Structures are given as C-alpha cells and as structure tokens.
Amino acid sequence: MENASAVRDFIRRHFRHFNAAALADAAVGYRALIDGGGRMLVTLAGAMSTGELGLSLAEMIRRRMVHAICCTGANLEEDLFNLVAHDHYRRIPNYRELASGDERALLDAHLNRVTDTCIPEAEAIRRIERAVLDLWRPEDTRGGRLFPHEFLYRLIREGSLRHHYQIDPADSWLIAASDADIPIFVPGWEDSTLGNIYAAQCIKGDIHNVHTVRCGIDYMIALAAWYEKASAEAPVGFFQIGGGIAGDFAICVVPMLRQDMGRNVPLWGYFCQISDSTTSYGSYSGAVPNEKITWEKLGEETPKHIIESDASIVAPLIFACVLAQDVSSD
C-alpha cells in the first residue's frame, strides 16, 4: 500500500485516546502477532467488498499478513462484481434524501443500492451468473462437489472473465486470495445473490444435486481442520470487521474443538473487532471481548481490542499501519 509509513506516522502522532488509541493499539498488536510468526484470520461482514476494501486487503494478503478469510456470501461475490463491472456502478452521495419513488426508479434501472453505491444487475450479477453456471452444471453432472469460493477461484484461474476486468486486478482481494491459495470460509452462503441463483437452479431442476455447492457444516469441518493445523504451528489471531455470521461462525471453531471434540487446541492468540455496535450485553456484536472468555474462545491473557467506529474508515488505516515496516509505539 502506497504511503503506509506516512499513515502509520500520522496515527502514532495523533491517535492517542479513545477509539483512536484503540485503533493504534490494535495495529501494533496485529503486527506483533505476525512478526512473532503468528497467523491471522480476517472476517468480513457488511458490504466491505462493495466498499472496495480490496484496495488495502489485497496487499495484506499478498504480503502474507492475512492467512485465512471468513466472509459472507455477499462479500465473496461482490469483490468479483466490482472487478468486472466497476465502470457501470453508480454512486448516490445523497442516498439519505431518496424518496420511495427514487428507489423504485433505481429498481427499474436494474441498479441494486448498497448505501451510496448501486450494483448494476446486467453487467455484474448476470455476467457472473452466466460464468458460474458454466462451472456449476458440469460439476453437477459429474457428481462433484466444491465450496462456493472454490468455484470462484476456478473462474479466476481459468481467465474467462479477464477481458471484462474494469479495475486493476491488484485491487481485488479475491484475486489476491486465489493467487495465494488461502482458505476462505463462507457461512450462510445461501444468503447471497449467487446463493439465491443456485437455489433457483435447484428448484427449476437445472441443478440436480443441491449439494454440488458445499456450504454450512462442510465449511465448519474445513475450518476446524485448518485451525487445528495452523494453531499447532503458530498462534492464530482473529481480526473481525463488523459483526454478524462471518465473525460468529469463525470464532466458535475453538470452543467446538476444545469442548465438543476434546482437542487441546490453543485459544485465539489475538482478538480485534471493528464495529459500530455500541457496547451492549444483549448484543453479540456489542459484547465486550471479555465475555468471550466464558465461552472458551479467548483467554485472560489474549490481547483484546474493540474499536467502536466505521470499519470502512478504520480497517484501511489499520492495514496501512500493519504494512509499514515498523509499527512499534514510542
């Protein structure tokens, strides 16, 4: 990432208290884990891919600062949508002022709004639909089974969409993940546009085996195997962007292995959550990290950070700090 050291220096100078200090401390802890030989799992909730987090996350993956990702189905596919249809997206800076009639006009124009950004149906969704159908159907016919991210990795590696790329491929986190062949875990994949399309294909009978695309429990089993191996070699940290299923699913692998499997795996070696959910003991996303001690996810000595702020602002700043050569505090 360009000017990462300048961003780091600015943060060290100005981010000294409150959420700002929490951001700086989290970046120092992240880099300390990596420098100590540890590994990091990053979780993506919300609409971070449509928010173009790939601009910073891709470099984190290339620099081996991210070793696994747990994300929603929306984040998985929307990085690819942005890759092939970026020039057709429409930004709506005054989205708070839209009336219901304005929203209907966007629908009629086949523009799906995500806060201030509209995803174009034809150029993004339908283009990828046609491409993945060409992978799903033959796999279904031969009786094969792959995870959602494996189909998208195959799509990228075969290069059939390369002539549609509208951004620098270096800014796609999914391409970076495919190149590095890092594992991706996608809980609740069916709650996504491509998941809905797949369900429709099954209902229509075009896909005969609903399990041609693996998900759910299969992903938890894969995550358990990855964590057990990775944590035996080095501490594994947990960097959570937003709340929701991406974070909830992944963090539970540790108590599952320890309590339900009787495996003596280490607890997560670092924890950070960026969330605009304010502290609340009735909200999982708003619970303070210490609550996770009672669930045997984190330990008393685990470095814990929670930043109550907008992840679209905070995450790129932390990534810049981590990518800088030296993030040690004065």
Side-chain angles (χ1 to χ4, degrees):
M1 184 190 297
E2 294 181 6
N3 302 317
S5 295
V7 173
R8 175 209 58 201
D9 292 343
F10 180 88
I11 287 172
R12 289 173 61 187
R13 170 69 175 164
H14 296 281
F15 286 30
R16 300 188 178 196
H17 301 282
F18 319 129
N19 273 307
L23 184 159
D25 292 342
V28 170
Y30 192 132
R31 184 61 189 249
L33 179 85
I34 298 299
D35 287 346
R39 299 176 184 177
M40 191 67 76
L41 179 142
V42 171
T43 78
L44 301 177
M48 298 307 298
S49 290
T50 292
E52 298 189 77
L53 188 66
L55 289 163
S56 54
L57 180 57
E59 183 65 11
M60 289 285 286
I61 295 169
R62 283 191 291 271
R63 293 269 294 272
R64 300 298 189 265
M65 304 292 185
V66 174
H67 303 84
I69 288 175
C70 184
C71 69
T72 60
N75 273 301
L76 181 72
E77 66 195 12
E78 287 178 15
D79 185 81
L80 197 56
F81 292 167
N82 181 62
L83 176 67
V84 302
H86 180 271
D87 295 348
H88 299 278
Y89 278 58
R90 184 187 300 178
R91 185 161 178 264
I92 313 290
N94 63 328
Y95 67 93
R96 292 181 178 87
E97 302 168 16
L98 296 179
S100 57
D102 299 322
E103 303 282 18
R104 177 69 203 200
L106 292 174
L107 170 64
D108 292 342
H110 302 285
L111 293 168
N112 301 270
R113 187 170 69 82
V114 181
T115 313
D116 70 344
T117 303
C118 292
I119 301 174
E121 180 181 342
E123 295 82 5
I125 297 169
R126 300 307 168 193
R127 179 171 289 163
I128 298 302
E129 175 186 18
R130 291 190 293 271
V132 293
L133 281 172
D134 287 342
L135 299 181
W136 289 342
R137 286 169 175 163
E139 199 66 30
D140 181 60
T141 299
R142 70 173 65 99
R145 298 181 68 219
L146 293 173
F147 284 118
H149 77 277
E150 292 178 318
F151 278 108
L152 298 192
Y153 274 4
R154 179 178 291 181
L155 196 59
I156 289 168
R157 292 165 182 172
E158 289 180 353
S160 60
L161 291 172
R162 193 170 292 122
H163 63 289
H164 289 301
Y165 288 0
Q166 295 184 356
I167 64 170
D168 185 340
D171 293 335
S172 164
W173 73 258
L174 189 60
I175 286 182
S178 175
D179 289 345
D181 200 27
I182 66 171
I184 301 178
F185 310 100
V186 190
W189 173 74
E190 55 274 17
D191 179 22
S192 68
T193 299
L194 291 181
N196 292 170
I197 289 170
Y198 181 78
Q201 293 294 314
C202 292
I203 293 168
K204 291 190 294 185
D206 292 338
I207 300 290
H208 299 94
N209 182 0
V210 69
H211 300 296
T212 295
V213 178
R214 304 170 65 190
C215 50
I217 298 302
D218 283 338
Y219 261 132
M220 179 56 80
I221 293 169
L223 174 58
W226 176 82
Y227 187 87
E228 192 164 20
K229 182 176 186 298
S231 64
E233 299 169 350
V236 180
F238 192 93
F239 190 84
Q240 180 175 344
I241 299 176
I245 192 172
D248 299 352
F249 178 89
I251 203 166
C252 289
V253 72
V254 169
M256 185 200 76
L257 285 166
R258 292 170 68 95
Q259 299 175 15
D260 303 324
M261 295 288 294
R263 304 283 176 83
N264 189 29
V265 299
L267 300 173
W268 294 99
Y270 164 99
F271 175 82
C272 176
Q273 179 180 0
I274 308 167
S275 175
D276 58 8
S277 178
T278 54
T279 300
S280 164
Y281 288 95
S283 162
Y284 185 88
S285 296
V288 295
N290 273 358
E291 188 173 300
K292 293 174 173 60
I293 294 173
T294 72
W295 294 89
E296 207 170 9
K297 299 168 183 174
L298 307 178
E300 292 181 74
E301 305 305 320
T302 305
K304 308 173 189 70
H305 309 274
I306 187 161
I307 308 163
E308 294 178 353
S309 189
D310 185 329
S312 67
I313 298 170
V314 170
L317 293 175
I318 291 181
F319 291 163
C321 284
V322 173
L323 288 168
Q325 289 298 312
D326 176 16
V327 296
S328 60
S329 300
D330 286 330

